């Protein structure tokens, strides 16, 4: 049975919620597909292209997907890709993905689009791969659906974007395997980037007590006051909803916490991220108690000290997003540093061949971080 692919409308919200429930059950971790008010906002959002696949005979919805960006950003996020169980294997996921890329990347609205893809089967990976997306990393334990799942990060670029990356002279040695893996995946080169020793970790705080402010509207207003200029922070498509600060108010850490999905993104810190570098351990503990089994940070590849600080506190570089942020005529690379406090079970992870090197790289990095080195007795 053929379908018609067209833009979603507010009249589709009830049917969309039923579609996402049919695909994911009651555990879908994002508001797209569960929150009618947020769905209505996104449908009307000029920076969001939301498409549905409609059956002409019944007017029912067979599939849905969207690419969401934000004002001033040239990055899109492919999300909410869902095909009704009765239509799986029909190629509908690929049709939706192609239509979204045509309306965003091909139309010149964004420089790149990324997707976080489930690893419970190879199907989702192959759908995006057939539509020009390439793997750039893996995010173990990134989200809690019906159980804790790992996600793969894929990206697709407009022509010429990867050629305009701003060179990076050095990175901590622990990132070298990830750089080599991305080179093979995207066909780019980091030959001029030198792997060096990490910067010494900042001293831990004498008293590691933190307060967490969970008042989304207040946090959003304060964040906008502290960071009126977007050049001082960069975490696309994440609006902070919590704030962490020590007793003396010496700094403020802004983060996005999703309790439904059990994950958290560290967005930035005031007056400067360096002020909170020594507090990463108590910050992570506080977020874990608040329900975040997975914590991630997006760190510029050329910030050697910040990458070293996160690595010293057990964060592992699982993904590298080349040419993520436009800066004039150039583009800056970013690293996804993540830490999970829950057991990582890779037995249920299914990775297609292009993604396998990223899984191998992560496992090696995890072992180097958390397993004791062997000592050979003489």
């Amino acid at each position: 049975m053929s379908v018609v692919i067209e833009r979603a409308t507010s009249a589709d919200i009830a049917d969309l919620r039923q579609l996402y429930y049919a695909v994911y059950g009651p555990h879908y971790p994002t508001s797209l597909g569960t929150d009618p008010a947020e769905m209505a906002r996104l449908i009307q959002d000029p920076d969001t292209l939301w498409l549905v696949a409609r059956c002409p005979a019944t007017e029912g919805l067979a599939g849905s997907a969207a690419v969401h960006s934000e004002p001033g950003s040239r990055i899109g996020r492919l999300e909410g890709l869902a095909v009704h169980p009765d239509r799986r294997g029909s190629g509908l996921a690929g049709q939706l993905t192609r239509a979204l890329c045509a309306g965003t990347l091909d139309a010149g609205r964004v420089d790149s689009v990324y997707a976080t893809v489930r690893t419970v089967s190879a199907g989702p990976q192959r759908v995006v791969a057939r539509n020009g997306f390439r793997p750039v990393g893996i995010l173990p334990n990134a989200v809690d659906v019906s159980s804790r799942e790992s996600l793969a990060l894929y990206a697709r670029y407009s022509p010429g974007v990867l050629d305009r990356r701003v060179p990076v002279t050095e990175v901590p040695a622990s990132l070298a395997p990830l750089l080599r893996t991305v080179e093979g995946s995207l066909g780019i080169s980091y030959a001029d980037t030198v792997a060096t020793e990490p910067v010494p970790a900042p001293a831990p705080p004498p008293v590691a007590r933190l307060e967490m402010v969970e008042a989304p509207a207040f946090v959003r207003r304060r964040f906008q006051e502290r960071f009126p200029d977007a050049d001082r922070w960069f975490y696309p498509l994440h609006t902070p909803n919590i704030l962490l600060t020590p007793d003396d108010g010496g700094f403020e850490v802004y983060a996005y916490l999703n309790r439904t999905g059990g994950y958290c993104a560290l967005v930035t810190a005031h007056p400067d991220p360096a002020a909170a570098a020594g507090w990463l351990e108590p910050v992570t503990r506080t977020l874990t108690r608040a329900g975040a089994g997975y914590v991630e940070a997006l760190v510029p590849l050329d910030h050697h000290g910040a990458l070293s600080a996160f690595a010293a506190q057990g964060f592992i570089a699982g993904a590298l997003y080349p040419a993520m942020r436009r800066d004039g005529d150039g583009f800056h690379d970013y690293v996804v540093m993540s830490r999970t406090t829950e057991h990582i079970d890779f037995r249920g992870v299914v990775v297609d061949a292009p993604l396998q090197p990223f899984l191998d790289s992560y496992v090696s990095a995890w072992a180097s971080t958390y397993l004791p080195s062997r000592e050979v007795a003489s």
Side-chain angles (χ1 to χ4, degrees), residues 113-340:
V113 172
Y114 73 90
T116 50
V117 182
R118 298 179 75 186
T119 58
V120 292
S121 69
Q125 301 163 45
R126 291 172 181 170
V127 167
V128 294
R130 284 195 294 265
N131 285 279
F133 288 78
R134 295 293 176 265
V136 293
I138 193 163
L139 312 173
N141 278 4
V143 68
D144 192 352
V145 184
S146 56
S147 61
R148 183 60 67 174
E149 288 188 16
S150 299
L151 300 176
L153 182 63
Y154 279 70
R156 175 176 163 175
Y157 297 86
S158 292
V161 168
L162 287 172
D163 298 329
R164 293 154 58 191
R165 292 163 31 247
V166 176
V168 176
T169 57
E170 62 174 348
V171 297
S174 60
L175 265 69
L178 179 60
L179 266 62
R180 302 289 88 81
T181 306
V182 170
E183 285 180 325
S185 180
L186 296 182
I188 60 178
S189 175
Y190 287 100
D192 296 329
T193 302
V194 178
T196 61
E197 290 301 313
V199 175
V207 180
R209 292 191 299 181
L210 286 170
E211 295 180 346
M212 189 174 85
V213 179
E214 191 170 3
F218 167 79
V219 171
R220 186 168 57 251
R221 289 195 305 270
R222 190 169 181 89
F223 178 73
Q224 291 169 349
E225 293 170 359
R226 295 296 200 189
F227 298 94
D229 184 358
D231 288 341
R232 295 187 57 203
W233 64 275
F234 178 76
Y235 215 125
L237 306 169
H238 284 75
T239 300
N241 59 2
I242 62 169
L243 182 157
L244 299 98
T245 186
D247 291 345
D248 63 4
F251 63 85
E252 297 172 354
V253 170
Y254 291 86
Y256 170 76
L257 173 64
N258 184 313
R259 279 200 170 89
T260 303
Y263 63 87
C264 181
L266 299 175
V267 178
T268 192
H270 177 84
D272 184 87
W279 288 75
L280 283 172
E281 180 61 34
V283 163
T284 304
R285 286 202 307 268
T286 301
L287 293 171
T288 300
R289 290 195 296 268
Y294 169 90
V295 180
E296 73 175 24
L298 196 60
V299 185
L301 184 62
D302 60 356
H303 283 208
H304 195 288
L307 291 167
S308 298
F310 275 99
Q313 295 301 330
F315 283 75
I316 296 173
L320 169 60
Y321 196 135
M324 188 176 192
R325 180 171 68 87
R326 177 182 279 201
D327 182 9
D329 292 331
F331 290 85
H332 294 281
D333 302 352
Y334 279 76
V335 181
V336 182
M337 304 286 293
S338 67
R339 175 172 160 177
T340 177

Side-chain angles (χ1 to χ4, degrees), residues 5-30:
I5 295 179
E6 58 191 13
R7 294 193 74 130
T9 70
S10 297
D12 294 322
I13 290 176
D15 289 340
L16 282 165
R17 294 182 71 194
Q18 291 182 3
L19 171 66
Y20 284 99
Y21 189 91
V23 174
Y24 295 102
H27 305 291
Y28 194 56
T30 66

Side-chain angles (χ1 to χ4, degrees), residues 90-105:
S90 64
L92 186 52
Q95 291 180 52
L96 285 164
T97 303
R98 284 192 295 276
L100 286 168
C101 289
T104 54
L105 278 169

